[in-house]
Amino acid sequence: MEDLLKSTQQHSAQKLLILFRLEPGCLGPDGVDHIDTFCQLAERTLTHLNADVCQWFISPRFDKSLVEIQYSLAGKVLPRDKAVKYVQSFEQNLDTLEERFEDKLTQLINQYIARKQAR
């Protein structure tokens, strides 16, 4: 059992962590009131997306001086070119992963707005 736990910890430590900062305005004019809840829901929904290579984190982007997407591995922030190389080592493409993520995120935003308007 301990070996399995160590293996799981090592595997998750090897995943690329991708932090996506989401603008509150994407949820409409009152988005700032909903962004924290939405980010939590979206992050849980997208947990399994490309889980073999990366782990997605979503947080509000209140500070526009912060980059929209930040990559890290083993606790260290990576520049995009190194994140690209890391993902390529899994025979995958970072642009494709990000497009898939953004498509799913857009669907979630649209669903959230539709539910909000239906109330």
Side-chain angles (χ1 to χ4, degrees):
M1 183 67 176
E2 288 181 27
D3 290 338
L4 178 62
L5 182 59
K6 284 181 183 177
S7 174
T8 303
Q9 288 172 339
Q10 288 173 344
H11 179 68
S12 64
Q14 295 174 359
K15 286 186 183 182
L16 179 67
L17 304 181
I18 304 176
L19 172 61
F20 186 89
R21 293 183 177 99
L22 188 64
E23 304 268 347
C26 73
L27 297 176
D30 63 344
V32 72
D33 299 330
H34 302 274
I35 193 71
D36 287 317
T37 301
F38 177 80
C39 287
Q40 291 170 7
L41 292 170
E43 189 174 296
R44 277 191 298 231
T45 302
L46 298 171
T47 298
H48 299 292
L49 186 65
N50 306 112
D52 54 329
V53 177
C54 64
Q55 186 172 358
W56 297 96
F57 293 94
I58 305 170
S59 73
R61 187 178 186 197
F62 296 119
D63 182 349
K64 295 201 184 208
S65 69
L66 297 174
V67 295
E68 184 178 44
I69 300 179
Q70 179 178 312
Y71 312 95
S72 60
L73 185 64
K76 295 181 181 174
V77 175
L78 296 180
R80 189 171 201 291
D81 63 325
K82 292 199 178 188
V84 166
K85 287 180 184 174
Y86 182 78
V87 170
Q88 285 173 341
S89 74
F90 290 89
E91 297 180 7
Q92 296 200 37
N93 180 293
L94 186 58
D95 288 334
T96 303
L97 296 182
E98 289 176 354
E99 285 172 20
R100 205 174 299 145
F101 169 81
E102 289 179 7
D103 288 346
K104 296 282 187 191
L105 186 61
T106 299
Q107 289 174 354
L108 292 174
I109 290 168
N110 291 337
Q111 290 172 355
Y112 191 87
I113 290 171
R115 285 187 191 138
K116 193 172 68 167
Q117 291 173 345
R119 291 182 192 163

